[in-house]
């Protein structure tokens, strides 16, 4: 495996010139124009968003506008939207000098990704055979945000080490792979995965980790002075953490069935998340010499339960079942940050800036397994006759599927997500090694200076950074410096 | 009174060793496991979240999924959730070096508290006599968040002076007391308090203030260098303030009656909050030498109107009635910060870090009184026959209660909340003085260093803090230091 | 034109004494008491918020509480509320030393403005002829927030250069002008403008720009050291940007027609906003020497598409139509920041702190024009017979209006908004030049010190600011200073 990656790495030896003045505008303009043309050719409002809705109501004998899907899903959609842009964005502001890149590039690729996702998912799921058009409504917007989430997860592994152009390419391919993978899992295999443990998190995490493995930077230590947080950047990151944590019940319930499906998914996710907070604090404290808590754990591992509930949230997993999953996730994920992340860099050459292996990969796999087991154990006595049919959608050509079979298909879904993540990651990783993407050099990683105009005169800049700017351009270690401080 | 507290204080003389490496993980693990067992024994989905919902719809002749309580209350629930985690959390980031503790410990105790609250409130309110199980749905989640709010208010008085283990204990007892108090007020006395002026705010504030009185630290001045804000920590606190302020209409309307009840509660709270902003700015400016505004007032006193509208928001209190309450609250609360807080510390030995006496205690009492008066004055001419019955729930065995009697019971509710807060606070305060809770010493208060791994090398650290780290470990006063600054 | 402004400027030559200790409390108290009296005389709950609702349901044969307008609009209302207080507020925290003023004064004037707006808009739109009372419900709260937005936009041009008292005056007149203008446009001309491209953005922007022109400060350079951002203040501003960006679909759909109207408005706005992000990044990168992105563009120009979709969002503008508008807005607005803002200050003497000309004025005009064209091109084949009537409200005395005529009236609406903004701005600007408003002197602009008690001892203050405080009171340029940094 290592040889393959080495081989890939040697084949393309990028020259570093992180100037995106031509490439970034070119990509943005060309792709946005392509979006306009494709939307013009393919995308129309669905019947609930079209001005013919009042006619449609009469035909379908719908008595009130409140039955429009908009009112079932719009509040959840806005919560998901906040998770994508503020949640993921601010979670990535924790680095001392990469907050602009964290929140800014997240903004860029999410805004592009959702357009491409509407098209890709539309071709697979929402194509109206009558006129060959994609018909979109509120549920499509939620799904597009979900699709984008997969790519933002991948960005987490690469934070600070890639150029915005690379991120755009990563997103283009990521969304495409996602849509195909989702089609196979949700439609061909008829797997249930409303909150995306497999489809979103497992896929996104392995996609990002594999790319990071291909893009391994042996001399990343050169940027180590910027590879950490400062006090206030950690507080900014908590904004991201909390909005993700609070709105995860909306994420997992956003496209569940109307009524009890959405209701139950929200309750289960809420409970699991609460439990994972306690075990995260416990393990974080237990692992430090004086019991001191580590902000990295609190910012990330508390969220793992939301990931792990992605598949089973809408099932009758019981309230204590949700708590147990949350309990395990807090431990598992914190353990990952403590033990696995440093070893993965050392032995596997996977540099994972935000620790997505601990927050998305492992909990995503766990969520897939939990979903498969819960599905396999479902019974009419627990769900009721109709409840079972509705929850697993045993209708049409799947009317004869049993819960046990469904469990098997759920397990197969995990494998599909994994394969798409890893194989897709290898292909896209190789593409991203081409020496044309203006990525930063090893000593310029985690530095907003490369792609952003920074404020000229920073009043909160300590002398040490002035020192950098005015003389050698290097930042001395704190220990190399002494300040002249006199008693007056 | 002072003697009693002194006596309590002397009886237990804590030795300070703020290492929570054993105690915090132990408490988190044991309690989380207890939660899992108790949820396993007692907690089930209610009929609106259970997969049998579609059967239930037929039985009750419900025509549409949109009638599921989820759609009535979920948007308000998420707003309340934001208030609990981002609102309270960020409001407590204002200290210059206790932002991690403010937002982090808030996160921990809220996540624990809501689980315990679901159980405690469930036993009192949602026990299904058919099978002895607690049946939970979206309204229970809102109530659990409300219950947690009481403990977070208490945390406000103790911010920076207690260990996370103490906070967990405070929360365990606080939630328990809350559930009993709430049962007495809302069910035995049949009092209306949808936004919790009495049940949440009065109880929580006196609970916290009494504990702070018992835990009085005579040498807290030793930490005075950290007992204040810096520019950016004040901006962080405004995030908390604004989310609390904006979503308070959701807080007061979240569990009001469907339809006009929720509608009216939101409008009344919105108006009262707007009025309190103006009077807060006015008094804050009036009180300073050059009319300069004080961020402490703006961050806190602007919210007092939400507290004071907790009881009466769903009543026909009229729009101008709401404005009058807001008007008074801004003045009262700002006055409290200016005059009462320093005197309470000096004369009553109550150290109230966030000023919860001004933000929750006084406005909570005021809200209880306003609610009692408004209820006593209610009439069929204003509410209509059915409106009166619905608003005050004069049904079943309360069918014969008159508004005047209701007013009396409302007033009794205030007393119950007060008694529970003060007596509960004394008991819990004494428990928290046991020398086993790893609380910080007097010169270590308001310092995240004690319980958190802080970022090693802080680029925004000025020389003065380096000086601390490398030599004596003490921070010199600004005035003791001169910097060498030369013209180039 | 320049002469007129000069003339106005000379006529009133303000003496600068920025002490608001008398004026600010006086204005707040007097106006808040006036609000209470006027609300007492005029404002009542509407039938959906009144306790008679259950009676009303029977009369109107409404089967369920969920049909109460509260459930159609409350989630959107809360999103709009977040935009007003957190969105606008934090967008204005970008200056290095004016974050308190940005978010704090925004809070003050919005809280006042919404009360006055409820009255002014109520007199024009919601007066119940039966009893002469203004009947308010959730839609009125949304409209009040909209009305406030106009004044907050105007604040953007004046940020850092005016006193809170001036802002209160600006708001009082701004809301009044807004209500009249809105009445003319929406009711007399029967123009559709649900998201307010004309009514809110065009009016607000020209109102603010004209006032800024009248209040031109020739010596503003004296404050140039504070007229910029620092690293963390730019991150704070991104909180504002993202909440505005995410919730703009709610803004444009909040008061659209129930059902497909709200649904379509949200989709269209979502798409346009996504497109504008890409073109903003593109132009920002293209314009800088090394392709480096500018935070000012990302914070502002990405939002222009929301402004431009204000009128047409609820029309059948098609999905690609929305993308095209977003595409153009990102370019137009970023171009404005690069080229127009500096030239407007130099040649037109309009100092526009936040660049509202680029974010609100131009996109607002564009939105008005797009709306007029889209309306003129509407046809029954696209909208359906009923859809056309519902969307443009061709009912009652407007039953015979054709789309082409409607387009003409839409265009007329733009002119009305422009005239009100400019003429109103001249009048209010002259009032604000009276030497009684305690505005800051030219060398005190953009400084919170003037109106706020700042934290005494700022740990993140670098020596340079101490230098200012202790000696001459002036801040030296960074280049004038050298720090003594020694290798240990």
């Amino acid at each position: 495996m290592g040889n393959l990656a080495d081989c890939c790495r040697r084949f393309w030896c990028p020259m570093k010139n992180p100037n995106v003045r031509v490439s970034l505008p070119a990509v943005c303009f060309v792709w946005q124009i392509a979006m306009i043309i494709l939307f013009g050719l393919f995308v129309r409002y669905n019947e609930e968003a079209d001005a013919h809705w009042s006619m449609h109501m009469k035909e379908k004998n719908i008595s009130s506008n409140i039955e429009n899907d908009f009112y079932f899903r719009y509040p959840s959609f806005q919560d998901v939207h906040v998770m994508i842009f503020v949640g993921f964005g601010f979670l990535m502001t924790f680095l001392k000098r990469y907050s602009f890149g964290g929140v800014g590039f997240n903004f860029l690729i999410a805004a592009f990704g959702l357009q491409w996702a509407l098209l890709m998912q539309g071709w697979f799921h929402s194509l109206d055979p009558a006129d060959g058009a994609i018909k979109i409504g509120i549920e499509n917007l939620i799904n597009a945000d979900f699709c984008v989430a997969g790519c933002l997860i991948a960005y987490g592994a690469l934070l600070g080490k890639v150029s915005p152009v690379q991120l755009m390419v990563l997103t283009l391919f990521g969304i495409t792979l996602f849509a195909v993978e989702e089609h196979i899992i949700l439609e061909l295999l008829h797997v249930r995965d409303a909150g995306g443990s497999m489809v979103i998190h497992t896929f996104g995490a392995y996609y990002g980790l594999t790319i990071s493995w291909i893009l391994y930077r042996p001399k990343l230590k050169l940027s180590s002075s910027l590879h950490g947080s400062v006090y206030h950047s950690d507080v900014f990151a908590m904004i991201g953490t909390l909005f993700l944590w609070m709105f995860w019940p909306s994420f997992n319930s956003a496209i569940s069935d109307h009524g009890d499906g959405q209701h139950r998914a929200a309750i289960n996710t809420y409970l699991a998340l609460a439990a994972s907070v306690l075990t995260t604090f416990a393990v974080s404290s237990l692992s430090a010499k004086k019991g001191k808590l580590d902000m990295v754990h609190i910012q990330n591992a508390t969220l793992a339960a939301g990931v792990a509930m992605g598949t089973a949230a809408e099932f009758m997993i019981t309230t204590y079942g949700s708590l147990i999953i949350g309990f395990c996730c807090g431990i598992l994920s914190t353990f990952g940050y403590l033990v696995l992340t440093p070893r993965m860099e050392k032995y596997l050459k996977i540099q994972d800036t935000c620790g997505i292996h601990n927050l998305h990969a492992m909990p995503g796999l766990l969520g897939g397994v939990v979903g498969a087991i819960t599905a396999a154990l479902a019974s009419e006595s627990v769900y009721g006759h109709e409840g079972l049919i509705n929850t697993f959608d045993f209708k049409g050509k799947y009317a004869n599927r049993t819960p046990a079979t469904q469990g098997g298909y759920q397990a197969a879904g995990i494998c599909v997500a994994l394969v798409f993540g890893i194989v897709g990651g290898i292909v896209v990783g190789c593409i991203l090694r081409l020496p044309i993407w203006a990525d930063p050099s090893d000593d310029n990683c985690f530095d907003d200076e490369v792609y952003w105009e920074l404020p000229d005169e920073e009043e909160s800049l300590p002398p040490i950074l002035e020192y950098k700017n005015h003389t050698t351009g290097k930042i001395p270690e704190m220990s190399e410096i002494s300040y002249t401080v006199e008693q007056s």
Side-chain angles (χ1 to χ4, degrees), chain A:
Chain A
M1 287 278 277
N3 285 340
L4 172 60
D6 260 28
C7 172
C8 296
R9 272 177 225 124
R10 268 176 217 142
F11 194 72
W12 292 288
C13 168
M15 295 163 301
K16 307 297 180 190
N17 173 22
N19 186 332
V20 292
R21 193 179 178 184
V22 174
S23 52
L24 183 60
V27 167
C28 287
F29 275 127
V30 170
W31 292 6
Q32 188 58 55
I33 291 168
M35 289 300 113
I36 292 172
I37 295 170
L38 291 168
F39 270 68
L41 292 173
F42 290 104
V43 183
R44 303 290 176 267
Y45 308 116
N46 74 8
E47 59 201 7
E48 303 192 280
D50 192 279
H52 290 84
W53 162 249
S54 57
M55 220 172 67
H56 178 76
M57 281 174 73
K58 280 175 207 158
E59 279 167 17
K60 300 264 170 168
N61 206 12
I62 297 169
S63 64
S64 164
N65 273 315
I66 197 93
E67 299 273 341
N68 193 304
D69 198 34
F70 183 77
Y71 301 102
F72 284 92
R73 306 212 183 272
Y74 191 71
S76 304
F77 159 67
Q78 275 297 3
D79 292 350
V80 171
H81 218 40
V82 171
M83 292 175 73
I84 298 297
F85 289 89
V86 164
F88 280 103
F90 272 85
L91 191 60
M92 292 199 271
T93 58
F94 75 100
L95 289 170
K96 68 179 78 164
R97 280 277 132 180
Y98 208 72
S99 302
F100 287 10
V103 71
F105 294 151
N106 182 80
F107 191 19
L108 172 66
I109 62 177
F112 164 64
L114 61 86
Q115 299 177 55
W116 183 228
L118 281 172
L119 283 165
M120 285 301 302
Q121 294 184 313
W123 280 316
F124 284 115
H125 307 293
S126 309
L127 212 57
D128 185 340
D131 56 2
I134 298 166
K135 298 289 171 70
I136 65 170
I138 186 70
E139 193 168 339
N140 299 69
L141 305 197
I142 298 173
N143 274 313
D145 272 17
F146 279 4
C147 193
V148 162
C151 295
L152 301 182
I153 291 165
Y155 179 28
L158 303 165
L159 186 71
K161 301 176 297 180
V162 288
S163 76
V165 184
Q166 284 177 307
L167 288 172
M168 293 289 280
V169 174
L170 173 148
T171 305
L172 181 77
F173 286 101
I175 300 284
T176 313
L177 289 161
F178 184 102
V180 177
E181 168 234 27
E182 188 189 38
H183 179 65
I184 295 173
I185 295 178
L186 300 190
E187 303 195 6
L188 301 189
L189 301 180
H190 195 70
V191 162
R192 303 294 286 174
D193 194 18
S197 288
M198 297 172 273
V199 169
I200 300 169
H201 298 287
T202 303
F203 165 75
Y206 284 99
Y207 181 59
L209 290 168
T210 311
I211 294 175
S212 186
W213 175 66
I214 305 272
L215 298 183
Y216 178 69
R217 290 173 175 271
K219 294 183 189 157
L220 193 60
K221 285 269 170 204
L222 292 172
S223 292
S224 67
S225 67
L226 292 177
H227 191 188
S229 62
V230 290
Y231 194 72
H232 280 164
S233 72
D234 268 330
V235 183
F236 278 120
M238 280 304 288
I239 298 174
T241 298
L242 289 174
F243 275 103
L244 286 170
W245 192 90
M246 296 180 303
F247 289 163
W248 219 296
S250 301
F251 193 93
N252 285 350
S253 69
I255 58 164
S256 300
D257 291 338
H258 288 178
D260 62 297
Q262 288 196 283
H263 203 150
R264 193 165 54 247
I267 295 173
N268 287 331
T269 311
Y270 169 92
L271 290 173
L273 286 162
S276 75
V277 173
L278 270 83
T279 50
T280 299
F281 271 81
V283 177
S284 182
S285 177
L286 204 56
S287 68
K289 234 187 297 180
K290 293 185 175 176
K292 292 188 183 183
L293 298 159
D294 189 328
M295 258 294 171
V296 172
H297 307 154
I298 309 307
Q299 282 159 8
N300 293 282
T302 50
L303 301 169
V307 175
M309 290 301 291
T311 304
E314 60 178 338
F315 300 163
M316 292 287 287
I317 191 171
T318 74
T319 54
Y320 61 94
S322 304
L323 290 179
I324 291 171
I325 294 172
F327 187 93
C328 299
C329 280
I331 298 172
L332 181 73
S333 183
T334 315
F335 176 81
Y337 280 97
L338 287 163
V339 175
L340 298 185
T341 299
R343 278 173 184 68
M344 279 174 60
E345 172 156 7
K346 200 167 166 194
Y347 300 116
L348 299 182
K349 303 200 168 170
I350 299 174
Q351 291 156 331
D352 179 5
T353 313
C354 295
I356 62 165
H357 183 257
N358 317 305
L359 173 48
H360 297 279
M362 292 193 297
L365 290 174
L366 178 67
V369 172
V370 167
I373 295 172
T374 319
L377 297 178
S379 68
E380 286 205 5
S381 66
V382 173
Y383 288 77
H385 179 68
E386 272 186 72
L388 192 67
I389 292 171
N390 288 339
T391 305
F392 294 97
D393 204 15
F394 289 156
K395 293 170 188 168
K397 64 176 174 174
Y398 304 101
N400 294 322
R401 197 180 267 191
T402 64
T405 326
Q406 180 67 24
Y409 279 101
Q410 296 280 141
I414 307 174
C415 304
V416 175
L418 257 176
V419 168
F420 265 83
I422 294 172
V423 175
I426 290 175
V427 174
V428 176
C430 290
I431 294 169
L432 293 182
R433 283 193 76 80
L434 291 172
I436 56 175
W437 303 121
D439 47 328
S441 59
D442 287 351
D443 57 340
N444 263 331
C445 287
F446 314 122
D447 195 350
D448 274 334
E449 186 80 49
V450 182
Y451 301 114
W452 297 86
E453 305 271 3
L454 295 187
D456 273 354
E457 178 188 321
E458 170 113 24
E459 76 169 24
S460 65
L461 270 184
I464 186 169
L465 282 192
E466 280 309 302
Y467 183 77
K468 172 184 174 188
N469 293 344
H470 292 333
T471 49
T472 70
K474 273 183 58 187
I475 302 180
E477 289 298 301
M478 263 302 183
S479 59
E480 293 173 340
I481 292 179
S482 75
Y483 292 92
T484 307
V485 179
E486 299 164 9
Q487 302 290 122
S488 63

